[in-house]
Amino acid sequence: MHKTRLTLALATILGGLASLADASPPDSLDLQSVVTGLDQPVAARHAGDGLGRMFVVERPGRVLIVDAGDNLLGTAFLDVTDRVESGYSEQGLLGLAFDPDFTANKFFYVNYTYAVTGSSPWTRVSRFKVSDDNPNVADKDSEYI
């Protein structure tokens, strides 16, 4: 039963994507650069906490914050470049998700590749917590693999 639902969902998504491929962008589409100076950004997320921040994931191992005024904050929200293996295009800090109860527990999750001696890099999903002192900085030592 789950396999049938998954197949149906994939068929629906792929069918929708095929129809989008033939669509033209609206005449009123206006793209604007919000920030510059990013190093290989791969994702942007919001925490849903009402603070209007956007969290930008950089492949080498940093998560940066763009505040509600479109300013790139000078201090990284999370910097795990010392743990991340990002030598090839499909490696690095690749994902960020905020806990559904983020406003209460301050947990978020990241996915990154890391080096294993004598092996190809492996992938890891870890939970971190925001610092108790500053909502714009994560506690790097709170990693729970």
Side-chain angles (χ1 to χ4, degrees):
M1 181 155 175
H2 293 293
K3 192 173 184 179
T4 303
R5 286 185 186 169
L6 179 59
T7 303
L8 179 59
L10 286 173
T12 303
I13 290 168
L14 293 175
L17 290 176
S19 66
L20 286 176
D22 296 331
S24 298
D27 292 335
S28 62
L29 182 64
D30 181 29
L31 301 177
Q32 295 177 318
S33 177
V34 177
V35 295
T36 59
L38 300 173
D39 183 11
Q40 302 175 60
V42 295
R45 305 282 183 264
H46 68 84
D49 60 0
L51 298 179
R53 302 173 294 173
M54 180 173 56
F55 296 78
V56 179
V57 178
E58 292 183 324
R59 193 174 71 82
R62 295 188 319 158
V63 178
L64 305 175
I65 294 178
V66 178
D67 69 13
D70 292 339
N71 302 299
L72 182 63
L73 300 187
T75 301
F77 174 69
L78 177 69
D79 186 341
V80 289
T81 52
D82 59 332
R83 302 171 198 184
V84 172
E85 175 63 46
S86 63
Y88 297 98
S89 65
E90 294 185 22
Q91 296 176 355
L93 182 58
L94 303 173
L96 169 68
F98 290 92
D99 192 277
D101 200 21
F102 175 75
T103 54
N105 64 25
K106 305 298 182 200
F107 292 147
F108 64 96
Y109 305 86
V110 297
N111 170 240
Y112 64 90
T113 55
Y114 66 101
V116 177
T117 304
S119 174
S120 297
W122 291 26
T123 189
R124 172 177 284 163
V125 175
S126 291
R127 183 186 75 193
F128 287 88
K129 187 175 186 214
V130 176
S131 165
D132 290 331
D133 301 330
N134 184 346
N136 290 328
V137 177
D139 178 357
K140 183 177 175 177
D141 297 326
S142 69
E143 182 175 18
Y144 178 75
I145 300 168

